[in-house]
Amino acid sequence: MIPPAADPAARPVVLDFDAAVPFLGPEEVRLPLADWQEDIRFGCPFERYAALESHLDGLMPDSHGPVFTGSGDYHHLTLYLLRRLMRRGVPAALDIVVCDNHPDNMRYPFGLHCGSWVSHAAGLPGVRRIHVAGITSADIGPAHAWENRLAPFMREKLFYWSLGREAAWLKLIGRGDHARRFDAPDDLVRSLASELRDSPALYLSVDKDVLDPAFARTNWDQGRFAPEHLKAVIDACAGKLLGSDVTGDASTYSYAGRFKRILSRLDGLPEPDEAELAVWRADQGAINRRLLEWIAGAGAV
């Protein structure tokens, strides 16, 4: 089931940089952005990001449902969607829920990166808290502690919800309670749902790399969630959801520029062949349809 095309507020939007998002149905709004792929994918200078924002402002429909951004290499597009939401008016306090295998709060000195956008989102006016849930990445471990941006924690805005991975270094800055570690996804989701009961309004961002690869494969290392855990988080947002986006579809890309080629190789990203990619996308399409149904069921404010 996909939200009916008759309701403009339920129509999904695809920001189509990489042709990764399988067809969502006749109600989708697909914006062609392939010409921006080299500049924006993975990371970009702030000037290029600002240019893309201006371009998208002229394309985005006034009313829409979830926004699909393709590969997780584009998760930094969530920042644009949040800024757009703020310009259109939101309540004085907004909580952001990010389902992701990575914290996306890392240092990136060259502009904005798919793994650095959370710290920028934490600085937006009206953002009360950001919960990044489902982390199993070593990015929050002691060896990478110095790479995590501390400002969102010092302002008491950011919380890590991890599975089997400690961020004990947060105790050194007096923010040990901002790292919530769990052994099982069921326990994490149950505790997060309880936390969200007090949220005045919510924005949801789903990176499907939070899923166990048995359910869908992505371009990044993956976590331990099952689709049902995403449903539980979405259900916890019911009646408070002001917007949402979905990333983590599968695509490959060969950068023309040497700098991004080197950075992507350092991350050791998986490189499926065409046959593997077709299988991955079939699984991704099935997950996307379920997410559309669940988000529509949660209802928008």
Side-chain angles (χ1 to χ4, degrees):
M1 174 184 173
I2 294 177
D7 181 5
R11 299 184 68 184
V13 172
V14 179
L15 303 184
D16 197 2
F17 295 91
D18 58 355
V21 181
F23 183 56
L24 296 173
E27 48 280 301
E28 74 170 26
V29 177
R30 189 169 291 251
L31 306 180
L33 296 165
D35 290 347
W36 291 83
Q37 181 162 204
E38 177 72 21
D39 281 356
I40 302 300
R41 187 172 183 133
F42 194 71
C44 59
F46 289 118
E47 315 88 74
R48 289 306 294 155
Y49 194 86
L52 176 65
E53 287 188 299
S54 297
H55 181 68
L56 286 174
D57 280 343
L59 298 177
M60 289 287 289
D62 289 337
S63 184
H64 58 82
V67 178
F68 289 75
T69 61
S71 162
D73 289 358
Y74 296 100
H75 205 173
H76 46 316
L77 266 295
T78 299
L79 182 63
Y80 163 71
L81 297 171
L82 287 166
R83 285 174 174 167
R84 185 170 183 267
L85 186 65
M86 301 294 180
R87 291 197 301 270
R88 297 166 69 85
V90 297
L94 178 72
D95 289 351
I96 301 168
V97 181
V98 186
C99 295
D100 202 314
N101 189 45
H102 307 87
D104 285 6
N105 180 49
M106 311 303 281
R107 300 181 189 279
Y108 184 71
F110 310 108
L112 189 64
H113 179 260
C114 60
S116 74
W117 67 271
V118 161
S119 62
H120 298 276
L124 293 175
V127 171
R128 190 181 73 141
R129 294 174 185 160
I130 302 180
H131 302 282
V132 185
I135 303 168
T136 71
S137 167
D139 286 347
I140 66 169
H144 297 277
W146 67 274
E147 297 176 61
N148 288 253
R149 291 186 182 271
L150 301 183
F153 294 111
M154 299 309 296
R155 297 199 301 270
E156 300 191 76
K157 290 193 173 187
L158 182 58
F159 295 80
Y160 287 166
W161 299 70
S162 63
L163 288 165
R165 184 71 69 174
E166 295 280 2
W169 48 271
L170 280 170
K171 296 176 183 177
L172 299 177
I173 60 169
R175 295 295 183 267
D177 60 334
H178 285 236
R180 317 279 176 84
R181 179 195 178 279
F182 299 84
D183 292 321
D186 286 351
D187 296 333
L188 185 155
V189 169
R190 189 179 303 113
S191 182
L192 176 61
S194 177
E195 181 91 7
L196 297 181
R197 289 188 191 125
D198 295 330
S199 294
L202 290 162
Y203 183 94
L204 174 67
S205 182
V206 175
D207 188 335
K208 287 174 288 182
D209 71 14
V210 77
L211 292 170
D212 187 291
F215 299 103
R217 293 292 304 274
T218 75
N219 289 93
W220 291 83
D221 56 295
Q222 293 186 230
R224 293 171 49 197
F225 271 25
E228 289 69 25
H229 296 118
L230 292 179
K231 183 180 188 303
V233 173
I234 293 167
D235 288 346
C237 297
K240 301 178 181 180
L241 202 55
L242 296 182
S244 61
D245 66 72
V246 178
T247 193
D249 287 271
S251 71
T252 58
Y253 186 69
S254 297
Y255 294 100
R258 180 182 300 176
F259 178 65
K260 285 190 180 181
R261 283 204 308 271
I262 293 171
L263 286 183
S264 62
R265 285 171 186 164
L266 288 174
D267 274 319
L269 304 182
E271 297 182 2
D273 59 29
E274 287 301 317
E276 289 175 312
L277 197 56
V279 174
W280 292 13
R281 285 182 176 165
D283 292 339
Q284 289 278 6
I287 295 290
N288 288 345
R289 288 189 292 274
R290 295 171 78 179
L291 288 171
L292 278 172
E293 179 180 351
W294 295 335
I295 291 171
V301 177

